[in-house]
Amino acid sequence: MKIGALRENYEGEARVAVTPSSAAHLRKLGHEVFVESGAGAGAGFSDAAYQAAGVAVAPNAQALIADVDVVVKVRPPEAAELKAMRRGQVLISYFYPTQNAELLELAREQGVTAIAMDMVPRISRAQKMDALSSMANIAGYRAVIEAANNFGRFFTGQVTAAGKVPPAKVLIVGAGVAGLAAIGAATSLGAQVYAFDVRPEVAEQIESMGAEFVYLDFAEQAQDGAATGGYAAPSSPEFREAQLKKFRELAPEMDIVITTALIPGRPAPKLWTEDMVQAMKTGSVIVDLAAERGGNCDLTVPDARIVTENGVVIIGYTDFPSRMGAQASELYGNNIRHMLSDLTPGKDGVIVQNMEDDVIRGSTVAYDGDVTWPPPPPKVAAIAAAKPKEKPKEPTPEERRAAETAAFRAQTRNQVGLLVVGGVLMLALGLVAPASFMQHFIVFVLSVFIGFQVIWNVSHSLHTPLMAVTNAISSIIILGALMQIGSGSGLVIVLAALSVFMAGINIFGGFLVTRRMLAMFQKS
């Protein structure tokens, strides 16, 4: 079939739904690929680059829509674009069906199959098509870049001949995809990063990235995100007050605040109030990633950068992905081609709208003259909600004691058996081996036992290539070899020297690898 990418008409939108690299994958699926002339200009992809990748360039939107079977774009379609489409054509783009009821009805009237990239179910199998996550990743990264551009100091702390520069303190509110991307970018720049999320289970993930989790002393725990598409559920008024109290404590200390709290289709919760802004230091920066839905900050102005009376910069841009147009287009183009890959199971260029597939059904908002949104719950959710198996019956105290006694007796028999076998073997070896060998052999056995106990009792979290069982064995080999180097036999001396050399490589290699591992966790 023919796949066509339209040029985005929204002001400031630099993304394109198909890139030259993603077009190559679509052609492998058996499709012909078209783009509207100038569609990739904002992202740095010329018409010539598309033509070099085997993509046909249509002169305008009308010609492209009339010629293709599947229309792909980034932003929700305009009414004129939908009206130009014919029954049976497929549209793949953002759609926001909750906010765009009129567009949804128009798609139904036109008989267009509308697949909304913003409605892809948040299940493991659909991660490769999750455009919301891929764009949030870019937004979180870009938010840190914008903050650094508007901040008057270094992010990293420095000690120079001219004086000491403290590290910037950055607070990330919300540890979803955008928040985690912001944490990664800020820590890589050397900032002292703090992060808050209503879901305490993300604390380990935050701390593993080098940030400090801001704990809230409150009994309520956030609900599971499954009911809200993987997002944190709205909190109670009491939890919100405790949250705001914590933010008021942090506001005077923070240099940069990046807020990411937003559930698609809902107004953004107000988390950074006007009094918190007034408590911040002059030169501080707030980047509000929820500006498109009203903002998490009381003073945010969508699509604008403002400076408050006390000198705090508040950035409310709504086009963060477009500010990295080439990268955003590549990721979104991959999301689109993965969706088309699922729609083309035979890889023969034939689109199959399988409404029994959870991902396809969940993303389809209009099909065959009907509105198919909202979709039924995914089957995986129904499986997860199935009645759990009954727990096995708890044993009585008498049964538990009988089982423990039987286990102890069996363990004792095994240990006694091993000791008897070991004793017999030692006795048999002592009858035929010289006394000098037995002395060395006993030392060897004791060394192995002591090394095993020492290494095995070290916590696994402390294990490194230096602190490893193989190095303990190598140390034993070196000691044994050194004792044999003074032997009168040339063959024994050669073998002992080779043993020292090879075991030494293992030990010194452990030192080098350990040093490299430790350097990875040190801030420059």
Side-chain angles (χ1 to χ4, degrees):
M1 286 190 171
K2 297 179 179 179
I3 314 293
L6 287 174
R7 181 162 54 96
E8 303 296 324
N9 296 321
Y10 190 88
E11 184 178 357
E13 181 57 73
R15 292 172 291 178
V16 62
V18 173
T19 65
S21 60
S22 68
H25 292 282
L26 294 177
R27 294 181 64 203
K28 289 179 181 178
L29 294 173
H31 300 296
E32 296 180 58
V33 186
F34 296 75
V35 295
E36 182 183 349
S37 180
F45 304 120
S46 64
D47 289 350
Y50 281 107
Q51 290 171 335
V55 179
V57 178
N60 52 54
Q62 290 76 16
L64 184 138
I65 293 174
D67 195 31
V68 301
D69 305 295
V70 180
V71 177
V72 295
K73 65 191 308 287
V74 181
R75 294 272 180 172
E78 299 175 2
E81 292 170 338
L82 271 178
K83 289 178 180 178
M85 296 182 68
R86 61 186 180 273
R87 176 171 288 275
Q89 271 187 306
V90 179
L91 169 70
I92 305 176
S93 71
Y94 279 85
F95 208 99
Y96 304 118
T98 306
Q99 299 101 288
N100 294 320
E102 293 181 0
L103 277 179
L104 192 59
E105 179 62 22
L106 182 57
R108 184 195 67 78
E109 292 176 357
Q110 293 294 115
V112 171
T113 296
I115 297 176
M117 293 300 292
D118 53 292
M119 296 304 298
V120 171
R122 300 200 117 184
I123 58 178
S124 297
R125 187 168 65 84
Q127 287 181 354
K128 60 188 177 181
M129 310 169 217
D130 190 353
L132 289 177
S133 292
S134 60
M135 295 302 103
N137 180 27
I138 292 177
Y141 176 86
R142 183 68 189 195
V144 175
I145 303 302
E146 294 291 341
N149 185 49
N150 285 272
F151 187 54
R153 291 197 286 108
F154 296 132
F155 263 47
T156 184
Q158 293 188 7
V159 178
T160 68
K164 181 179 179 181
V165 180
K169 291 186 176 181
V170 179
L171 173 64
I172 313 293
V173 180
V177 176
L180 292 174
I183 290 170
T187 53
S188 67
L189 289 174
Q192 190 173 342
V193 183
Y194 303 82
F196 174 84
D197 197 279
V198 298
R199 301 162 297 171
E201 62 269 19
V202 303
E204 290 185 5
Q205 191 172 6
I206 288 170
E207 290 168 352
S208 70
M209 297 182 69
E212 180 178 333
F213 184 70
V214 177
Y215 287 92
L216 190 62
D217 187 13
F218 194 77
E220 176 183 326
Q221 301 294 325
Q223 299 175 7
D224 189 277
T228 52
Y231 296 91
S235 305
S236 67
E238 294 78 14
F239 184 89
R240 171 180 160 78
E241 287 305 315
Q243 185 178 357
L244 295 181
K245 180 181 178 182
K246 188 65 176 181
F247 290 162
R248 288 188 178 95
E249 295 174 5
L250 295 172
E253 304 175 18
M254 294 299 130
D255 298 304
I256 293 168
V257 176
I258 298 174
T259 63
T260 69
L262 180 64
I263 298 176
R266 299 186 185 182
K270 297 297 181 183
L271 302 177
W272 207 259
T273 56
E274 184 174 354
D275 63 300
M276 297 177 196
V277 177
Q278 293 172 353
M280 296 179 73
K281 295 171 285 191
T282 299
S284 300
V285 180
I286 298 172
V287 182
D288 195 339
L289 291 181
E292 63 179 326
R293 299 295 295 170
N296 297 136
C297 178
D298 281 342
L299 303 182
T300 297
V301 177
D303 294 310
R305 172 192 180 276
I306 66 169
V307 182
T308 64
E309 292 182 0
N310 63 323
V312 177
V313 178
I314 303 177
I315 298 172
Y317 302 148
T318 60
D319 60 347
F320 285 102
S322 282
R323 289 172 181 265
M324 300 181 70
Q327 182 66 78
S329 297
E330 289 288 2
L331 293 183
Y332 184 75
N334 285 335
N335 295 143
I336 289 287
R337 61 109 167 170
H338 283 304
M339 175 62 76
L340 284 166
S341 178
D342 272 27
L343 288 166
T344 318
K347 294 181 173 50
D348 52 1
V350 178
I351 297 292
V352 178
Q353 188 73 27
N354 180 12
M355 297 298 276
E356 297 299 319
D357 184 288
D358 277 339
V359 177
I360 296 173
R361 176 64 186 88
S363 309
T364 304
V365 296
Y367 175 63
D368 197 23
D370 289 325
V371 172
T372 57
W373 183 87
K379 297 183 183 70
V380 291
I383 294 171
K387 183 179 178 181
K389 295 181 179 178
E390 294 184 3
K391 293 183 178 179
K393 183 182 177 182
E394 289 289 333
T396 63
E398 292 77 10
E399 292 173 337
R400 189 181 296 111
R401 281 195 294 270
E404 290 174 353
T405 302
F408 176 75
R409 288 175 177 172
Q411 184 178 5
T412 303
R413 284 196 298 269
N414 291 337
Q415 291 177 346
V416 171
L418 289 174
L419 287 173
V420 170
V421 172
V424 171
L425 291 175
M426 291 289 290
L427 181 61
L429 188 62
L431 292 174
V432 297
S436 60
F437 173 82
M438 290 302 298
Q439 291 176 356
H440 291 309
F441 184 72
I442 291 172
V443 171
F444 173 77
V445 171
L446 291 176
S447 300
V448 171
F449 177 76
I450 293 171
F452 177 84
Q453 293 296 327
V454 170
I455 299 298
W456 225 253
N457 286 323
V458 173
S459 172
H460 291 288
S461 61
L462 299 178
H463 274 205
T464 67
L466 180 60
M467 181 64 73
V469 178
T470 55
N471 279 348
I473 297 173
S474 297
S475 301
I476 296 170
I477 293 172
I478 286 180
L479 290 175
L482 289 174
M483 294 178 66
Q484 298 301 324
I485 282 181
S487 172
S489 171
L491 178 61
V492 173
I493 294 174
V494 171
L495 292 176
L498 288 174
S499 299
V500 172
F501 176 72
M502 289 185 287
I505 291 176
N506 188 38
I507 293 176
F508 289 112
F511 274 105
L512 294 175
V513 175
T514 299
R515 182 179 179 183
R516 185 171 181 179
M517 289 177 62
L518 293 175
M520 293 171 61
F521 296 96
Q522 293 175 348
K523 291 185 178 180
S524 57

